Amino acid sequence: MRAVVTDHTTEEFLKIKNNKQVLAVQPWEAVIEVKAFSLNRGDITGALEKPNGYFPGWDFSGIVIEPAKTGEGPSKGSRVVGLLPAGSWAERIAVPSSFLSVIPDSLNYSEAATLPVAGLTALYALRRGGNLLGKRVLITGSTGGVGLITHQLAALGGAYTIGVVRNESKIRQVREAGANHVMMANMDSKEWDKLEPFDLVIDSVGGENLSNLLLKLKPEGSIISIGYSDSEIVTINFRNMLHTGGQMLYRFYLGTEIHKHNVTVDLQYLAQLVIDGKINTNIEVNTSWKNIAEVSQGLLNRTFSGKAVLIID
């Protein structure tokens, strides 16, 4: 069996190698022949910190070749999408049936593979914000895989969404994802002061940006922090918040959230939205997994927005 593993002996730290380990399968797990997987920045940055021989990867789509021995989950031959905490970038993987969802023939493997991490992060983060109808929702990191799906889901929920981009060339893309307004990340303080307060913020930047956003929340408003691409350190001046109250800062971690929800049902919901044309998975790179080194480096360098999918061939 071939799998992507970390190898820091060369500049290309992700390589496809033959894995001679026997696949350990628990009774509640199904064996999946992986057809495609998508890359997330967290996959790559996490792999950089792992030792040689680590098996990275969260998202995947494929076919069940051995159903779970408990009788639960998809049957043999089912087309599925799912996620793992690590090791999904391989020809065959063992996956708990509760982290799998059957996909119809009308959804291709590439589209399906984009949904678990980006789609569930967007869905669960917005759920933390409650009823979205008529709410002002700010979404930072708007051109990333999570950001673009978050915009689309928020628009479906009836929110007035504001996107943030670093490059003017991306404004149209965020508008097409459903944003009612798009602003530049580097706007000056006078423009920032003119902004009306937000009911909900989905933030993936962190750092000083997150600290400033707390001051722009309405009373009872919420910030859902899903990342920290700018800085993991946040300094909060509570004196500036003396005359407001009830705001919430929620640190989001998908590894915890998936145990609070029905992953199987939620992946089916997201898949149906794609089939119905209500959300676009925004695949910008769709190529062979033999290009893992090049694509992962491009993701780190932000040379493309949207999602990157690799096909196992």
Side-chain angles (χ1 to χ4, degrees), residues 167-274:
N167 191 318
E168 289 187 0
S169 65
K170 301 296 184 181
I171 291 177
R172 179 177 178 181
Q173 183 182 31
V174 178
R175 286 277 195 183
E176 290 175 347
N180 299 97
H181 178 70
V182 183
M183 61 189 193
M184 299 301 298
N186 60 351
M187 66 179 180
D188 61 39
S189 58
K190 291 182 180 179
E191 291 178 294
W192 179 261
D193 291 339
K194 292 178 183 178
L195 290 174
E196 295 180 28
F198 306 106
D199 297 284
L200 175 65
V201 175
I202 309 296
D203 178 58
S204 59
V205 177
E208 184 180 356
N209 180 75
L210 178 55
S211 180
N212 292 334
L213 287 172
L214 279 166
L215 303 178
K216 301 301 294 187
L217 276 183
K218 292 182 180 181
E220 306 300 323
S222 300
I223 293 181
I224 313 300
S225 171
I226 63 173
Y228 42 84
S229 60
D230 182 54
S231 172
E232 67 272 19
I233 298 175
V234 181
T235 301
I236 300 172
N237 186 343
F238 283 100
R239 183 178 295 277
N240 294 332
M241 303 172 68
L242 283 175
H243 303 292
T244 59
Q247 292 96 337
M248 181 183 74
L249 172 59
Y250 183 87
R251 177 57 190 160
F252 182 98
Y253 173 54
L254 185 60
T256 299
E257 300 297 324
I258 57 177
H259 298 292
K260 302 176 183 178
H261 302 268
N262 189 322
V263 171
T264 297
V265 171
D266 292 332
L267 284 175
Q268 287 175 344
Y269 169 67
L270 291 169
Q272 193 60 51
L273 289 178
V274 175

Side-chain angles (χ1 to χ4, degrees), residues 95-141:
V95 186
S97 58
S98 58
F99 289 169
L100 291 170
S101 186
V102 175
I103 56 174
D105 293 340
S106 53
L107 185 69
N108 65 52
Y109 288 118
S110 292
E111 290 175 317
T114 66
L115 295 176
V117 169
L120 293 177
T121 296
L123 181 64
Y124 295 160
L126 288 171
R127 280 183 182 171
R128 293 294 313 184
N131 181 15
L132 297 176
L133 189 61
K135 298 287 184 68
R136 283 176 56 82
V137 179
L138 178 73
I139 301 164
T140 67

Side-chain angles (χ1 to χ4, degrees), residues 14-29:
L14 292 176
K15 294 184 177 180
I16 301 171
K17 293 187 176 181
N18 288 322
N19 176 20
K20 297 180 181 180
Q21 298 179 19
V22 176
L23 186 64
V25 184
Q26 300 298 328
W28 56 85
E29 293 179 326

